Amino acid sequence: NAGVTQTPKFRILKIGQSMTLQCTQDMNHNYMYWYRQDPGMGLKLIYYSVGAGITDKGEVPNGYNVSRSTTEDFPLRLELAAPSQTSVYFCASSYSASGGDNIQYFGAGTRLSVL
Amino acid sequence: AQRVTQPEKLLSVFKGAPVELKCNYSYSGSPELFWYVQYSRQRLQLLLRHISRESIKGFTADLNKGETSFHLKKPFAQEEDSAMYYCALKSGSGNTGKLIFGQGTTLQVKP
């Protein structure tokens, strides 16, 4: 049971380059989330999705885009990488938004450096 | 505004000492709170949540609405408790499951 899988684990980008961070889950979870983790800042929500075809902005969406064409996949796109996007990115999923099943399960993270 | 504050970036204790990781929140309504933990080289994972009123790995957390706090406590710290701990609040805006995280506290348990 793989859970939430993120690729790549590490990446170095040059300013202005673009890339897609992949996230896939095999738990049939409806809800998926992208966070960034900066030192001393905790996790900030970038985008989220409550189901296939539905996405919405989180707290820090600028410079990112997402899509959710299937229940399993929730890729995060950086179009024009900037040094401010240097961070560790986490994808998470949950079965429900409330009640006993609203536990979020996290991927191992992608460490991104923009130079 | 909905907010979670963890005032300590680093908490260092000796093995066997009591531990209290502080978490304060700002929320109008009935909050739903969680503690997540990230051990070295492991994924962020749920430790406990207030609705379950459970004790996990000897940790407990009580919701105090008067003081708007959800502090994490353990009477006797172990070296394997060393990790980053995040307090999180479920966002009240819509049924989205969004979490608002605190800044995190690194717990260091010394032998």
Side-chain angles (χ1 to χ4, degrees):
Chain A
N1 193 353
V4 179
T5 303
Q6 289 183 240
T7 56
K9 287 187 166 54
F10 306 96
R11 184 72 185 267
I12 298 175
L13 283 181
K14 293 183 178 178
I15 295 171
Q17 285 186 319
S18 62
M19 78 163 293
T20 299
L21 282 68
Q22 302 290 347
C23 176
T24 187
Q25 52 91 9
D26 61 358
M27 298 175 283
N28 200 31
H29 285 174
N30 289 318
Y31 298 82
M32 295 190 75
Y33 311 87
W34 272 107
Y35 296 92
R36 58 178 288 172
Q37 181 188 43
D38 299 311
M41 301 294 290
L43 280 77
K44 301 290 186 186
L45 182 66
I46 305 171
Y47 270 95
Y48 67 98
S49 169
V50 299
I54 306 169
T55 63
D56 208 346
K57 295 177 181 178
E59 186 181 358
V60 289
N62 291 345
Y64 307 94
N65 276 300
V66 294
S67 60
R68 185 97 182 270
S69 56
T70 66
T71 299
E72 294 78 18
D73 300 306
F74 190 42
L76 178 72
R77 178 89 178 154
L78 283 72
E79 289 294 349
L80 290 170
S84 61
Q85 294 177 304
T86 294
S87 189
V88 181
Y89 292 84
F90 288 101
C91 179
S93 72
S94 67
Y95 180 73
S96 170
S98 60
D101 291 320
N102 67 337
I103 299 168
Q104 290 193 15
Y105 295 86
F106 285 79
T110 295
R111 188 175 294 275
L112 176 68
S113 293
V114 182
L115 306 174
Chain B
Q2 301 172 47
R3 191 183 303 120
V4 176
T5 303
Q6 293 179 250
E8 302 140 328
K9 284 190 177 179
L10 173 66
L11 183 63
S12 186
V13 301
F14 285 101
K15 177 182 171 181
V19 169
E20 182 178 68
L21 289 87
K22 292 184 167 49
C23 172
N24 290 93
Y25 66 90
S26 174
Y27 186 81
S28 55
S30 290
E32 192 170 341
L33 287 146
F34 306 79
W35 276 99
Y36 279 80
V37 60
Q38 188 173 26
Y39 300 102
S40 178
R41 291 184 290 278
Q42 292 189 30
R43 302 174 182 221
L44 194 62
Q45 59 188 289
L46 178 72
L47 179 63
L48 55 80
R49 47 189 171 161
H50 90 272
I51 60 171
S52 300
R53 294 182 167 274
E54 56 204 342
S55 174
I56 303 292
K57 298 185 178 183
F59 284 99
T60 58
D62 291 318
L63 177 61
N64 185 323
K65 291 187 178 181
E67 295 183 358
T68 59
S69 69
F70 187 57
H71 302 330
L72 184 68
K73 299 177 184 179
K74 185 169 183 176
F76 307 104
Q78 302 300 313
E79 288 181 69
E80 55 265 30
D81 296 328
S82 295
M84 173 73 90
Y85 291 80
Y86 288 100
C87 182
L89 168 70
K90 182 184 165 189
S91 172
S93 55
N95 190 30
T96 62
K98 293 188 292 182
L99 293 177
I100 299 167
F101 284 86
Q103 301 93 320
T105 298
T106 299
L107 174 64
Q108 185 183 75
V109 181
K110 296 178 285 189

